[in-house]
């Protein structure tokens, strides 16, 4: 049959091959970007574990895991019996390794924290491996105490066994020029008391040329070098040279600074010592809980920590460490394969170069009439609207989900079980929102103008970072540079039709730096900042999508709503999967708390919990009520549930006044007191309840430095001291106060574990529950006041 000609047939037939080409191009672009993003996340895994049969001079996680199992049998907080067992085990292992360990016993005090002054009787363990021609020593640090609610496997048992295995491997290899000091700090969980005692009092502190500190804030993931000291140029150069599988970037410390965390390195940095800090952070819900256990520790993360420790000890152990300061470096890793680094002195010149390139590309687009000033302005505002909409929707969605769950999806540190499913869901929804909005925006402006407006945001951020945050400048410099090259190639082509295959290939190549640099950053930042900040974090993803606007236009082919639809379905699927699988179970337990408090003066006792659930309710069977408990905790501790409890014959803390001297001329009064816990409690908190100004204080004859800016000194408010690892003889506290009136002093001692209640038949915690992170969880407190 002959084909009959019609205008409709003539217009339709030539378009079919073009539609197929656009669809094929869309599939190729989508697969390419997905593979790049997937590879970037896949490369975030730590290296493979090394078995116990490895050569003696190599680091073996298999050997170290044997030691980890021994030290993580029970929680071992500072001052506990289990803490002493771990200390003695470490002393034995160090002696067996051929060094002479010693225990530094000291009283440490630090007033810089908000709340009570923190002090304690620390027992640091130190050992020294002598070098052949020492300049300054390399100091390897890990803390051997745990929190009362944690077995301390990753935090910080992995660091402890990393140091032991590194010592063994160093002794099996060629001698180093510099000494290597191994410091197992005590009291890190008690506000860094051990490291402060070492810096303030140990004679070896003055010999240190470099500090390498090892930590964890989870139980798996790659070990990230996340913090450095200032003037880090030479440190970064050596780290890049010797570290296997380096995972680090100079933005990490800027992120770390906003987190409510400190490590032992903070103390060494304040003392002016150069250093590097390492930690792995995946599986955050395990942090500071009973889930931080030997069987949940990823051996690969231990191997990664160990590979850093051994390689850097050998590298820095053969350098002259008397002056290793150099201008700060800007650095970032490429998929954990290599570390790109350059001096911060190049930041501004690079920024100027990219700005010139940006101006040239815009001039090219304007001259070829592919861009217009009005279109670029529209693209700039469209990108701002997109960021507000996408980040706002994700934030509201998370808050709504948490509200509907009654707060039940919150977990330690703001994280939730199955957090990575939420990340995938929110990321997909962000892609859906962005692609949908830009499908609408293209009705008002061209893809080129919209892309130029987004790139203008990138240029502004680059300039701001270069001037105010040089360590973050790399994140904008290199993705923008390559994107401008691809965008320029696109502008050189003919408008109004599909992108040429050669141009598309170049655009894909130029997209790689942005994807491989931003996708790992999004993953790491989400892990560090938790799901509660998903909305602001999506802004980083939106910046990446701003670079990929031309690519997204290709992804959908002729079906422009295909990408938004598929991304929305995927996003809701991930969110639903996360919600359905993040419930409580023995592997994902609920956290709760309970403590027993006895007020010795009134002869009354209470059970106290932050919330009531099916387990804590058995303690609160008699008329529970919410209220403050000022006799045990400060008024800032909220309004927990409290219920009358049986009164037990527990000895109360005792305060003996040793000296009371005053000077009527200046209105100062000095009280010297001996404070004891007759029942041998591990922690003592002393409150001066009278409204007086404490101008000076010392504990065990150690002055609490009033020159440090502290809310604990120089104010008319409740002054307090919390002392960890109270010795049997008690502590001696001297306070100089601006008052001549009687002073009321209250002592509250705290012991780990709940008391035995005669005749009580309390059920143990179910398998799907564990103690919460609160410092008073599963403890016994006894309070008594004295007036002098």
């Amino acid at each position: 049959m002959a084909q009959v000609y019609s205008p409709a047939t003539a217009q339709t037939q030539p378009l079919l091959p073009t539609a197929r080409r656009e669809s094929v191009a869309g599939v190729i672009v989508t697969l390419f970007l997905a593979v790049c993003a997937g590879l970037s996340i896949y490369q975030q895994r730590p290296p493979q574990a090394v078995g116990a049969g490895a050569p003696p001079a190599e680091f073996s996680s298999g050997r170290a895991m044997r030691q980890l199992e021994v030290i993580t049998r029970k929680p071992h907080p500072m001052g506990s019996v289990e803490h002493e067992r771990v200390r003695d085990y470490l002393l034995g292992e160090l002696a067996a390794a051929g060094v002479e360990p010693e225990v530094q016993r000291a009283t440490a005090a630090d007033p810089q924290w908000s709340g009570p002054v923190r002090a304690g009787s620390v027992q640091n363990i130190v050992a020294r491996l002598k070098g052949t021609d020492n300049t300054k020593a390399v100091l390897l640090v890990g803390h051997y105490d745990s929190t009362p609610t944690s077995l301390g496997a990753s935090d910080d048992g992995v660091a402890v066994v990393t140091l032991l295995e590194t010592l063994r491997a160093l002794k099996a290899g060629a001698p180093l020029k510099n000494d290597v000091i191994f410091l197992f700090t005590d009291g890190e969980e008690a506000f860094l008391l051990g490291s402060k005692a070492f810096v303030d009092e140990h004679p070896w502190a003055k010999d240190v040329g470099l500090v390498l500190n090892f930590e964890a804030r989870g139980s798996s993931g790659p070990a990230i070098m996340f913090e450095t000291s200032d003037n880090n140029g030479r440190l970064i150069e050596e780290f890049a040279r010797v570290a296997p599988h380096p995972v680090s970037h100079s933005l990490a410390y800027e992120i770390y600074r906003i987190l409510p965390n400190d490590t032992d390195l903070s103390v060494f940095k304040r003392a002016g010592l150069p250093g590097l800090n390492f930690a792995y952070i995946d599986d955050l819900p395990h942090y500071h809980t009973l889930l931080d256990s030997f069987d949940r520790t990823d051996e690969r993360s231990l191997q990664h920590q160990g590979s850093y420790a051994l390689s850097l000890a050998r590298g820095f152990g053969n350098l002259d460490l008397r002056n290793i300061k150099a201008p700060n470096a800007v650095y970032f890793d490429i998929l954990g394969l290599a570390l790109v680094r350059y001096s911060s002195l190049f930041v501004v010149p690079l920024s100027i170069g990219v700005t010139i390139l940006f101006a040239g590309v815009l001039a090219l687009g304007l001259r070829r009439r592919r861009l217009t000033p009005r279109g670029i302005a529209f693209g700039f505002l469209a990108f701002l609207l997109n960021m507000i909409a996408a980040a706002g929707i994700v934030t509201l969605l998370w808050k709504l989900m948490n509200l509907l769950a009654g707060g039940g999806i919150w977990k330690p540190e703001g994280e939730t079980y199955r957090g990575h499913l939420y990340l995938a869901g929110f990321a997909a929804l962000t892609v859906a929102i962005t692609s949908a909005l830009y499908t609408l925006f293209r009705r008002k402006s061209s893809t080129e103008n919209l892309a130029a407006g987004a790139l203008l945001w990138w240029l502004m951020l680059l300039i701001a970072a270069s001037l105010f945050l040089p360590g973050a400048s790399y994140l904008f410099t290199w993705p923008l540079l390559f994107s401008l090259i691809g965008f320029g190639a696109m502008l050189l082509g003919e408008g109004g039709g599909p992108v040429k295959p050669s141009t598309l290939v170049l655009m894909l190549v130029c997209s790689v730096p942005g994807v491989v640099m931003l996708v790992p950053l999004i993953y790491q930042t989400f892990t560090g900042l938790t799901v509660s900040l998903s909305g602001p974090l999506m802004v980083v993803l939106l910046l990446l999508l701003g670079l990929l606007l031309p690519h997204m236009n290709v992804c959908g082919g002729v079906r422009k709503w295909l990408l938004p639809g598929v991304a929305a379905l995927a996003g809701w699927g991930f969110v639903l999967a996360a919600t359905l699988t993040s419930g409580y179970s023995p592997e994902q337990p609920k956290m709760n708390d309970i403590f027993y408090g006895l007020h010795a003066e009134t002869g009354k006792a209470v059970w106290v919990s932050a919330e009531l659930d099916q387990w804590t309710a058995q303690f609160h069977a008699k008329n529970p009520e919410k209220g403050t408990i000022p006799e045990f905790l400060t008024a800032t501790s909220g309004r927990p549930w409290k219920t009358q409890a049986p009164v037990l014959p527990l000895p109360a803390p005792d305060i003996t006044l040793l000296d009371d001297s005053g000077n009527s001329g200046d209105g100062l009064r000095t009280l010297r007191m001996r404070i004891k816990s007759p029942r041998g409690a591990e922690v003592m908190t002393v409150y001066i309840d009278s409204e007086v100004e404490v101008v000076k204080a010392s504990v065990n004859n150690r002055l609490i430095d009033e020159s440090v800016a502290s809310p604990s000194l120089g104010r008319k408010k409740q002054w307090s001291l919390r002392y960890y690892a109270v010795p049997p003889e008690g502590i001696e506290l001297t306070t100089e106060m601006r008052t001549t009136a009687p002073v009321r002093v209250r002592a509250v001692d705290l012991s780990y574990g709940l008391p035995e209640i005669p005749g009580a038949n309390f059920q143990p915690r179910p398998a799907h529950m564990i103690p919460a992170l609160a410092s008073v969880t599963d403890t016994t407190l006894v309070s008594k006041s004295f007036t002098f």
Side-chain angles (χ1 to χ4, degrees):
M1 173 183 280
Q3 185 174 5
V4 179
Y5 172 83
S6 73
T9 304
Q11 292 176 5
T12 302
Q13 287 179 337
L15 291 177
L16 293 177
T18 301
R20 291 195 190 99
R21 285 198 300 270
E22 290 188 26
S23 297
V24 171
V27 171
I28 292 173
V29 170
T30 302
L31 289 177
F32 181 85
L33 295 176
V35 168
C36 286
L39 179 63
S40 300
I41 294 175
Y42 177 76
Q43 283 297 110
Q44 292 298 295
R45 75 196 193 288
Q48 290 300 311
V50 175
E58 292 184 12
F59 189 96
S60 164
S61 57
R63 288 188 284 254
M65 288 292 283
R66 296 171 181 172
Q67 297 167 316
L68 183 65
E69 187 173 14
V70 176
I71 66 175
T72 58
R73 292 171 181 168
K74 295 179 181 179
H76 41 281
M78 187 180 179
S80 66
V81 173
E82 189 66 14
H83 177 273
E84 295 181 3
R85 184 192 71 82
V86 173
R87 178 203 62 200
D88 293 342
Y89 173 78
L90 296 179
L91 291 171
E93 289 295 291
L94 289 167
V99 294
E100 299 179 0
E102 64 178 65
V103 178
Q104 179 201 10
R105 291 179 169 87
T107 294
D110 194 343
Q112 71 163 335
W113 307 93
S114 60
V117 172
R118 268 68 174 202
S121 300
V122 302
Q123 301 183 69
N124 291 330
I125 301 172
V126 291
R128 191 163 187 158
L129 182 62
K130 287 285 189 178
T132 60
D133 186 19
N134 185 51
T135 57
K136 283 280 190 177
V138 178
L139 177 66
L140 273 65
V141 184
H143 68 87
Y144 74 96
D145 64 312
S146 75
T147 65
T149 57
S150 171
L151 297 174
S154 285
D155 182 23
D156 198 26
V158 162
V160 169
V161 299
T162 291
L163 267 60
L164 292 175
E165 174 65 7
T166 298
L167 169 61
R168 187 208 56 75
L170 288 176
K171 287 185 68 68
L176 305 177
K177 291 182 179 181
N178 295 322
D179 294 356
V180 180
I181 300 174
F182 298 85
L183 172 60
F184 303 84
T185 57
D186 188 14
E188 194 273 353
E189 300 293 1
F191 294 83
L192 318 179
L193 293 178
S195 53
K196 192 170 192 307
F198 181 84
V199 167
D200 289 348
E201 298 187 25
H202 202 285
W204 290 356
K206 68 180 185 302
D207 300 334
V208 175
L210 173 72
V211 181
L212 303 175
N213 186 62
F214 298 90
E215 267 288 356
R217 193 167 171 259
S219 60
S220 65
I224 304 169
M225 196 282 285
F226 66 95
E227 181 185 10
T228 76
S229 53
D230 202 16
N231 296 309
N232 60 25
R234 287 194 64 192
L235 302 185
I236 296 303
E237 190 63 35
E238 186 65 10
F239 174 68
R241 186 181 72 84
V242 303
H245 199 75
V247 179
S248 184
H249 51 80
S250 48
L251 178 61
Y253 180 49
E254 303 299 336
I255 297 173
Y256 175 74
R257 287 171 57 189
I258 70 175
L259 297 175
N261 301 93
D262 270 288
T263 70
D264 281 329
L265 187 64
S266 304
V267 175
F268 293 107
K269 286 176 63 177
R270 287 197 293 269
L273 292 173
L276 303 174
N277 216 352
F278 304 86
Y280 52 91
I281 59 175
D282 277 12
D283 287 322
L284 180 57
H286 297 176
Y287 179 58
H288 281 182
T289 74
L290 292 179
L291 299 177
D292 185 10
S293 59
F294 170 80
D295 58 313
R296 288 183 173 88
T297 300
D298 190 337
E299 185 179 339
R300 299 174 303 167
S301 300
L302 167 55
Q303 180 64 39
H304 202 186
Q305 289 267 49
S307 69
Y308 285 153
L310 183 57
S311 63
L312 292 171
R314 284 178 172 151
F316 286 107
N318 287 311
L319 295 180
D320 187 340
L321 298 182
R322 285 172 292 195
N323 184 14
I324 56 173
K325 293 185 177 181
N328 281 331
V330 177
Y331 54 93
F332 55 93
D333 71 275
I334 301 297
L335 301 180
L337 303 175
L339 193 78
V340 177
R341 68 276 185 195
Y342 51 91
S343 172
S344 57
L345 300 176
F346 291 103
V347 168
V348 172
L350 283 170
S351 177
I352 293 172
V354 174
T355 302
I356 293 172
L357 177 61
F358 181 89
V361 171
L362 249 63
L364 173 66
L366 292 170
R367 187 173 67 250
R368 294 181 60 84
R369 301 185 183 278
R370 301 287 298 278
L371 300 175
T372 65
R374 184 175 181 178
I376 295 172
F378 179 81
F380 182 85
L381 295 175
F383 194 69
L384 175 61
L385 176 62
N386 182 54
M387 286 192 291
I388 294 173
I393 289 172
V394 169
T395 299
L396 291 175
L397 176 61
W398 170 248
K399 289 184 176 181
L400 177 62
M401 292 168 59
N402 194 56
L403 181 65
L404 293 176
I409 55 178
W410 286 103
K411 296 294 181 296
E413 305 296 313
E415 183 55 296
T416 175
Y417 298 122
R418 308 296 182 182
H420 292 124
L421 286 177
Y422 281 109
L423 172 61
F426 292 152
L429 289 175
T430 299
V431 172
I433 294 167
T434 300
S435 56
L437 285 176
Y438 273 89
T439 297
L440 299 175
F441 291 153
R442 289 189 191 96
R443 298 176 180 178
K444 299 291 185 181
S445 187
S446 67
T447 298
E448 292 86 348
N449 281 314
L450 293 171
L455 292 176
L456 182 56
W457 276 99
W458 271 83
L459 181 66
M460 292 171 55
L461 292 171
L462 168 61
I463 294 172
S466 300
L467 295 176
F468 304 110
L469 209 64
S473 62
Y474 77 92
L475 189 64
F476 304 102
T477 300
W478 303 106
L480 179 57
L481 173 64
F482 282 91
S483 293
L484 285 171
I485 295 172
F487 187 52
M490 178 182 173
L491 294 176
L492 286 172
E494 297 297 329
V499 178
K500 291 182 178 180
S502 58
T503 302
L504 185 59
V505 169
L506 180 59
M507 290 170 58
L508 288 175
V509 171
C510 291
S511 71
V512 171
V515 174
V516 300
M517 291 174 68
L518 270 75
V519 169
L521 176 66
I522 293 168
Y523 180 87
Q524 292 174 12
T525 307
F526 176 88
T527 304
L529 297 184
T530 76
V531 68
S532 59
L533 293 176
S534 294
L537 178 59
M538 288 303 107
V539 172
V540 183
L541 176 57
L542 289 164
L543 288 173
L544 175 58
L545 296 178
L547 297 179
L548 300 178
L549 287 178
H551 308 72
M552 291 172 61
N553 188 45
V554 177
C555 286
V558 293
R559 299 178 179 86
K560 299 303 180 185
W561 289 99
L562 180 62
L563 178 59
V566 172
L569 286 174
W572 285 113
F574 280 120
V575 170
L576 180 61
T579 303
L580 294 177
T581 59
S582 60
Y584 298 127
S585 70
E587 290 300 314
Q588 299 177 168
K590 172 182 170 58
M591 298 182 186
N592 55 24
D593 67 318
I594 184 76
F595 79 80
Y596 174 89
L598 172 63
H599 192 210
E601 293 162 85
T602 61
K604 294 181 179 180
V606 290
W607 293 113
V608 181
S609 299
E611 64 176 271
L612 296 182
D613 58 29
Q614 65 187 52
W615 182 73
T616 57
Q618 65 182 325
F619 298 94
H620 297 280
K622 298 179 180 179
N623 304 318
E625 62 178 3
K626 280 199 167 188
T628 60
I629 43 174
E631 59 269 36
F632 302 109
L633 301 174
T634 62
T636 58
S637 301
R639 295 173 59 83
W641 289 98
K642 60 181 182 178
T643 304
Q644 183 178 344
V647 177
L648 300 176
L650 299 177
D654 180 63
I655 302 181
T656 301
L657 185 63
L658 303 177
D659 187 45
D660 184 355
S661 60
N663 185 332
S664 58
D666 55 14
L668 294 177
R669 183 183 180 196
T670 300
L671 297 181
R672 186 164 64 90
M673 301 166 281
R674 170 71 61 181
I675 306 170
K676 293 183 179 181
S677 173
R679 64 191 188 92
E682 290 88 351
V683 182
M684 180 76 73
T685 305
V686 182
Y687 299 92
I688 296 180
D689 287 330
S690 301
E691 191 173 294
V692 297
E693 179 187 345
V694 177
V695 297
K696 186 182 295 185
S698 64
V699 58
N700 294 343
N701 296 316
R702 177 167 184 78
L703 180 67
I704 298 171
D705 186 5
E706 69 268 30
S707 65
V708 178
S710 169
S712 300
L713 293 169
R715 296 184 182 181
K716 276 194 172 184
K717 59 179 291 184
Q718 183 187 62
W719 186 92
S720 56
L721 166 79
R722 182 162 297 147
Y723 197 96
Y724 298 86
V726 180
E729 67 273 16
I731 62 174
E732 184 177 306
L733 175 64
T734 302
T735 58
E736 185 176 301
M737 299 166 285
R738 200 175 301 281
T739 185
T740 57
V743 176
R744 183 177 175 85
V745 182
R746 175 167 46 101
V748 182
D749 65 6
L750 177 152
S751 58
Y752 302 124
L754 297 174
E756 293 288 337
I757 307 294
N761 188 27
F762 295 128
Q763 297 299 312
R765 270 191 181 85
H768 67 281
M769 292 184 179
I770 58 175
L773 304 185
S775 60
V776 293
T777 296
D778 289 13
T779 59
T780 301
L781 282 71
V782 181
S783 171
K784 187 176 181 179
S785 296
F786 303 78
T787 301
F788 303 109

